[in-house]
Amino acid sequence: MSSKLQLTTLAVLVSAALPAQAALYKVVEVAPGVSGNEVYGTAIQPGTTTDPKGCFVDDCADGASYKLAGETRNRPDGFSYREEVPFAMDNSFGYIEDDYDGFEDYCFYQLGYATCEYWASERWSSWYNETYSSNTPNSLAFIEGSAEKPSGAINTVINSLDPSGQPVGNFSTSSKRNEAFSAVTNSTLTSKAQSRAWASDGTYTVGSTSSKSGIGGERYYYSSAPAIWSASGFVSIPRAGGYEVDGDYYAQGSMRDFYIDSAGGKTYGVGYNNYSDQHMNATIFIGNSATPTSATWSSALIYNAQVDISGDNINSNSVATNINKNLVVVGQAKRSGGFPQNGAASNRLFIVPDASASSINASFFYGGIFFDGAGGEMGGINNFNEIVGRIDSENHREYDGKQRRQRAFIYPYGMTPKTDSSEETAITARRAIFKNKAWLLDDLTNGGSESSNNNQYRIYDASDINDAGVISATAVKCSGGYDSTSHNAYCGDGNGTEKVVAVKLVPIAGADASAIQPRSYDSTATERKGAGLGFGALTILGLFGFMRKRIK
């Protein structure tokens, strides 16, 4: 027997003493309906069930009631099709203006990998195609097998789905790098040189607008501002400090999510705004009305996640990504390349328990699966304070080394200051399903009647979660199943073909904490070889672009 499949005597005894187990989630692969080498799940349709425990009580079968949105890729983005500026930080456009050398410099100074030549080459070739060559489409968007391509679109991304399952995102054309699309349209919005849409409740949509198109002679040197709009109203949020242009730097801002507090007569938005020295910092936007387009807006800096801390640029950027009805805010802050933590200039995940507090401070995830300096990408949060995303599953040194492998997680955060007392029982019950702690989602797809199907997948990213508990995700698939159920199992003894696919994770009705059967680790290191993922195996860690920003 191969050593990688052997169990220690202790593990055998422990496993024999355990009762039969079943997974918490069923992995449901979603057909994209568009072409592409790799397929990514980016959003799930909002929704609930009749029982507060969601699909853990009500049988949601394959989750057909909740549409999944996704995108394909044939190559990495030159720089993210979503972000306002290159690498989500280059508001001087200096890196991107320098072509290949700029890509390599960004990697060297802000990521620190020993593999920067490869990293830069892959992205530069995509940027060259998008900028100087044929502009062959790379990102094709879909919802449950149906293509979503606005008229004239080249590359399309979907950031979220509204309650009716309508897409919210942006697309590029021959004349604009980004144009917003959602079910909510506004004439002021369409007149802007660039626009992006991030979230919508079907009446209001939030995002950003830019002063130039980002195409042709206006490719560089544009500024952006957070925005919210309805069919009849449009508001551009003022920048929090600094100027639109300051030397070589251009002010940027974006609103990524929002919640209307009708009882309190306020609207809360989250994202980032421009502050002094043109720093782009995580921000809570506060409107003094429950009618967002009639409100007067202010910006509250999220402390402990800002760029400048005690006179040093500890972070190179930060952004608040999501807010729920409990006014819980989640986000991420990219550690500066000049101030690595635990051997990495990582993208750390944070939470703010109450957006209405008089003092707004970020607390970074720590403990359990979140080790010191762990990097990742925030996915989303539902109204039961369940948070999903991806996180480093390895803790070796990235600076002067290689990228860490990452895997999807779920974090049942629990009660927060604004949690409605009528929902405390439901939140407590749902948190107990996860034994009151965070997990890698691979540990929750193992065992029971779904084990054989689920063992074909290792869940790389969790991009969104709804109140029913259904998760949109991206997985690496080995058709027929990996050689064992371990985290680092081989596919076909290392010679099998793996591919990147979009999946839903649907809670299994009746599953509870007793169903959790964590995956083991094989005793030998997994090395992909043969007919593997190609560029995906080497670049999937950064394909969707962490929040990487250069500072002054």
Side-chain angles (χ1 to χ4, degrees):
M1 180 184 293
S2 170
S3 62
K4 70 175 181 291
L5 297 177
Q6 292 179 5
L7 294 172
T8 65
T9 301
L10 178 60
V12 170
L13 292 173
V14 170
S15 63
L18 291 172
Q21 303 285 340
L24 284 187
Y25 292 95
K26 177 192 305 182
V27 182
V28 180
E29 187 174 345
V30 176
V34 293
S35 62
N37 292 338
E38 302 186 343
V39 186
Y40 295 81
T42 62
I44 198 74
Q45 182 179 355
T48 61
T49 63
T50 56
D51 191 280
K53 284 189 178 181
C55 298
F56 286 107
V57 171
D58 291 337
D59 189 354
C60 296
D62 288 343
S65 297
Y66 312 103
K67 297 177 182 178
L68 177 141
E71 302 155 13
T72 63
R73 293 292 189 276
N74 292 314
R75 59 185 184 274
D77 303 4
F79 69 84
S80 173
Y81 303 127
R82 291 177 157 77
E83 297 294 345
E84 279 73 21
V85 292
F87 313 124
M89 59 76 59
D90 186 14
N91 58 337
S92 72
F93 300 89
Y95 285 128
I96 204 71
E97 188 178 30
D98 290 341
D99 294 333
Y100 171 82
D101 289 342
F103 280 84
E104 189 172 20
D105 284 347
Y106 170 76
C107 180
F108 180 80
Y109 289 110
Q110 285 299 325
L111 307 181
Y113 304 147
T115 55
C116 280
E117 285 189 16
Y118 175 83
W119 188 97
S121 178
E122 288 290 298
R123 286 154 183 78
W124 158 245
S125 63
S126 284
W127 173 243
Y128 182 90
N129 176 74
E130 296 160 14
T131 308
Y132 306 114
S133 187
S134 62
N135 205 9
T136 304
N138 183 34
S139 182
L140 303 180
F142 65 91
I143 299 177
E144 290 286 332
S146 298
E148 292 291 330
K149 186 178 181 182
S151 177
I154 300 172
N155 290 308
T156 305
V157 296
I158 297 176
N159 294 316
S160 63
L161 294 175
D162 72 15
S164 298
Q166 296 301 304
V168 183
N170 54 272
F171 61 96
S172 62
T173 68
S174 59
S175 60
K176 291 185 179 182
R177 176 163 176 85
N178 284 286
E179 185 163 351
F181 72 102
S182 73
V184 182
T185 59
N186 181 282
S187 58
T188 301
L189 177 78
T190 55
S191 70
K192 298 293 185 178
Q194 285 193 80
S195 56
R196 295 163 180 80
W198 285 87
S200 179
D201 65 359
T203 301
Y204 298 97
T205 298
V206 296
S208 67
T209 60
S210 299
S211 61
K212 293 183 179 181
S213 69
I215 296 292
E218 297 182 326
R219 182 174 298 116
Y220 310 119
Y221 318 130
Y222 54 81
S223 62
S224 63
I228 184 166
W229 61 90
S230 65
S232 59
F234 177 90
V235 176
S236 181
I237 310 298
R239 62 184 58 90
Y243 306 92
E244 181 176 6
V245 181
D246 182 8
D248 295 334
Y249 291 81
Y250 292 75
Q252 309 293 335
S254 179
M255 192 181 295
R256 301 296 176 85
D257 198 7
F258 71 108
Y259 176 70
I260 298 174
D261 180 9
S262 298
K266 292 184 178 181
T267 302
Y268 294 88
V270 297
Y272 71 89
N273 207 344
N274 182 80
Y275 292 81
S276 60
D277 292 329
Q278 300 297 72
H279 292 154
M280 299 154 62
N281 287 327
T283 295
I284 296 173
F285 304 102
I286 304 169
N288 65 353
S289 170
T291 304
T293 51
S294 299
T296 299
W297 288 85
S298 60
S299 295
L301 174 69
I302 298 178
Y303 288 95
N304 202 35
Q306 76 271 28
V307 171
D308 188 329
I309 299 177
S310 300
D312 290 319
N313 291 336
I314 301 298
N315 297 307
S316 58
N317 73 281
S318 59
V319 61
T321 58
N322 304 92
I323 185 171
N324 68 7
K325 71 176 185 180
N326 303 315
L327 301 188
V328 181
V329 176
V330 292
Q332 53 201 30
K334 165 66 174 68
R335 193 83 176 185
S336 170
F339 292 88
Q341 181 181 11
N342 194 21
S346 56
N347 197 52
R348 298 178 299 157
L349 309 182
F350 68 76
I351 188 167
V352 176
D354 180 6
S356 67
S358 57
S359 180
I360 306 296
N361 294 282
S363 297
F364 290 97
F365 291 5
Y366 184 72
I369 64 173
F370 306 114
F371 60 84
D372 184 32
E377 186 82 0
M378 188 60 71
I381 183 171
N382 64 15
N383 289 314
F384 292 95
N385 297 339
E386 294 163 346
I387 304 165
V388 296
R390 69 176 186 258
I391 197 70
D392 288 341
S393 59
E394 300 173 326
N395 64 358
H396 61 255
R397 183 179 178 85
E398 281 193 326
Y399 236 73
D400 298 323
K402 63 179 182 179
Q403 292 171 269
R404 295 167 177 164
R405 190 187 309 274
Q406 294 188 331
R407 286 292 182 264
F409 72 86
I410 184 167
Y411 181 12
Y413 190 76
M415 243 63 69
T416 53
K418 292 295 183 180
T419 299
D420 190 310
S421 59
S422 66
E423 296 178 342
E424 289 183 2
T425 299
I427 290 178
T428 299
R430 286 180 66 135
R431 193 166 187 254
I433 295 171
F434 303 97
K435 299 184 178 180
N436 304 312
K437 65 178 184 178
W439 292 89
L440 296 180
L441 282 164
D442 279 338
D443 284 325
L444 307 183
T445 62
N446 186 35
S449 61
E450 293 296 329
S451 185
S452 179
N453 171 68
N454 287 359
N455 193 45
Q456 297 182 102
Y457 305 94
R458 295 296 181 268
I459 313 303
Y460 160 67
D461 185 36
S463 56
D464 197 9
I465 182 170
N466 65 18
D467 288 346
V470 181
I471 299 169
S472 60
T474 301
V476 181
K477 181 182 181 181
C478 175
S479 294
Y482 284 90
D483 293 353
S484 75
T485 61
S486 67
H487 279 286
N488 57 339
Y490 284 87
C491 178
D493 202 29
N495 294 304
T497 299
E498 297 169 284
K499 61 180 180 179
V500 178
V501 297
V503 298
K504 292 179 186 177
L505 301 183
V506 183
I508 298 171
D512 58 22
S514 66
I516 298 174
Q517 183 178 354
R519 296 183 186 273
S520 62
Y521 286 88
D522 288 335
S523 58
T524 58
T526 297
E527 295 181 7
R528 308 298 182 193
K529 57 185 178 180
L533 280 173
F535 86 82
L538 298 174
T539 66
I540 191 170
L541 295 175
L543 185 57
F544 266 24
F546 289 173
M547 294 288 295
R548 308 296 198 184
K549 297 189 177 183
R550 187 175 65 166
I551 53 180
K552 294 181 72 173

